[in-house]
Amino acid sequence: AVQVAGLGAVFLQVYAWMQLVVGVTADHLGGRRTLTIGGLLMAAGAFAFPLSTNATALFGFRALTGLGASFMYLSIVQELDRLVTPRRFVGLMGVVLFGGYAGGIAATLPFERAAAACGWRAALLGVAGLTLLSVGAAFLLMRRLPPAPSRRAGFSVRPLWDIVRNPRSLPLLVCGVINFPVYFAVQNIVGKKFLEDFAGLSSKLAATFLLAMMVTGAVSTFAGGFLPRLLGHRRKPILIGAATLVLAGSLVLLSGVRLQAPGWVLLAGYLLLAAATGSGPASLSTMKELNRADAVAQSIAVVNCVTYVGVACMAWAGGAVLDQFAAVAVRTAGGVVYPAAAYANLFALSAGL
């Protein structure tokens, strides 16, 4: 379990720490160049991963994919900040994040069905092909944008240092290292296996639960881009509400395991976690506004870094908690089935955080 979770964690660790590098790069070179470079690296890793034949290659090309992917988000943020006004930025961030979640939606039931039909290698090669086409389309569309301003005289990490020292950023960083990682761990690391092991759901039905979770997250994020306007551009109620939803979702899942609850209770916990992602646009916009105006990509890079460090730690913790119960797990022809106590411990950890 630790090794399988590690395939996710290596991607996330590379992605997380590269945010700091990419933030400086995007502010220096502009979003267009960094997006193109990162997109090509990401596509290369995506093609090589399903062609790998040993664990070392799997981990290496997973890291390469994470390296390329780390350039995408901040490049878009940097260009968006340059092209629109601050008040339009929040709403359009919701649209951008919704686009990201659309990829996550495709990674649930659609990918599960594709892998069942033609195998995971062929399915991932198809994903790699779509990735390369998307990068090419983005390159062509970016050429139609207004000319980018001239690059700066040199790289500087001074803005990064100012952002890290800013005490007003601390609440956002604490939220970032807990809220999204708890959601991500359920959505991408243990959520499907938990439904199969504990609730006895089929692979298809478990993937459908995750599809519902991802759709909820996508809709919440899209709506979250426009919710601040309805609240008089206040962000704090949204951020507190997100933390409350994560706690509630974790407690519902913990109670569901303890009480042997039916599947719809578990689905309710999943959807509560997913709804919390709607705070993303407000959180990122607040982080941008609390820090230097000439370091937009770097300010969001810091919160993104701590968020995905948290995700990687939760991915590792998920595998480690399951492995603590390896001695009492049931081995079947389809894999290893972990006991309910293993998942109860994991959801207790999430609620505690």
Side-chain angles (χ1 to χ4, degrees):
V2 167
Q3 288 178 310
V4 174
L7 283 175
V10 68
F11 177 100
L12 297 167
Q13 287 283 10
V14 171
Y15 183 96
W17 293 110
M18 277 298 297
Q19 293 302 290
L20 302 179
V21 177
V22 174
V24 176
T25 305
D27 280 333
H28 174 71
L29 296 180
R32 302 178 200 181
R33 290 189 182 94
T34 50
L35 191 147
T36 303
I37 294 168
L40 293 174
L41 291 172
M42 181 172 63
F47 272 109
F49 181 82
L51 299 176
S52 302
T53 57
N54 60 73
T56 301
L58 283 174
F59 278 93
F61 289 122
R62 188 70 171 154
L64 178 61
T65 310
L67 175 65
S70 65
F71 286 81
M72 298 292 98
Y73 180 64
L74 294 177
S75 300
I76 296 172
V77 168
Q78 206 274 348
E79 287 296 312
L80 198 62
D81 178 70
R82 190 175 63 82
L83 293 169
V84 303
T85 62
R87 289 201 168 184
R88 289 189 64 199
F89 180 86
V90 185
L92 286 172
M93 275 306 302
V95 177
V96 169
L97 292 173
F98 177 81
Y101 277 100
I105 291 171
T108 56
L109 183 62
F111 180 75
E112 191 275 341
R113 290 291 83 196
C118 59
W120 68 271
R121 292 183 188 272
L124 283 178
L125 283 173
V127 171
L130 290 173
T131 299
L132 186 59
L133 287 175
S134 298
V135 172
F139 175 76
L140 293 176
L141 288 171
M142 286 188 297
R143 296 181 66 184
R144 301 172 59 185
L145 294 176
S150 302
R151 67 173 65 181
R152 298 176 184 173
F155 285 92
S156 174
V157 296
R158 178 58 188 268
L160 199 61
W161 178 240
D162 292 342
I163 294 162
V164 171
R165 292 190 307 160
N166 182 2
R168 301 176 72 193
S169 301
L170 184 60
L172 293 170
L173 299 181
V174 173
C175 286
V177 82
I178 296 174
N179 289 358
F180 185 77
V182 169
Y183 156 79
F184 191 95
V186 173
Q187 171 70 58
N188 292 279
I189 308 298
V190 300
K192 183 171 181 286
K193 183 161 180 57
F194 164 65
L195 294 172
E196 295 172 353
D197 288 0
F198 174 75
L201 272 60
S202 67
S203 175
K204 182 178 180 180
L205 186 55
T208 303
F209 271 41
L210 294 185
L211 174 62
M213 186 182 188
M214 183 60 78
V215 170
T216 300
V219 172
S220 297
T221 302
F222 183 81
F226 303 96
L227 186 58
R229 183 177 300 176
L230 300 178
L231 298 176
H233 295 283
R234 296 178 66 221
R235 316 288 171 77
K236 189 174 179 180
I238 299 174
L239 302 177
I240 294 175
T244 304
L245 287 170
V246 173
L247 176 59
S250 298
L251 291 174
V252 166
L253 291 173
L254 176 59
S255 301
V257 174
R258 292 296 191 192
L259 301 175
Q260 298 286 310
W264 67 266
V265 174
L266 306 178
L267 179 61
Y270 279 26
L271 298 185
L272 285 170
L273 294 179
T277 61
S279 66
S283 175
L284 295 170
S285 299
T286 304
M287 187 69 180
K288 178 176 79 77
E289 292 162 8
L290 289 176
N291 288 285
R292 294 173 49 158
D294 64 339
V296 171
Q298 292 178 68
S299 62
I300 294 182
V302 171
V303 73
N304 239 25
C305 176
V306 299
T307 296
Y308 280 94
V309 167
V311 166
C313 290
M314 280 299 295
W316 173 85
V321 168
L322 294 185
D323 272 350
Q324 290 298 311
F325 293 83
V328 294
V330 177
R331 284 160 175 77
T332 68
V336 180
V337 178
Y338 291 93
Y343 294 104
N345 283 5
L346 184 60
F347 296 137
L349 171 64
S350 298
L353 289 172

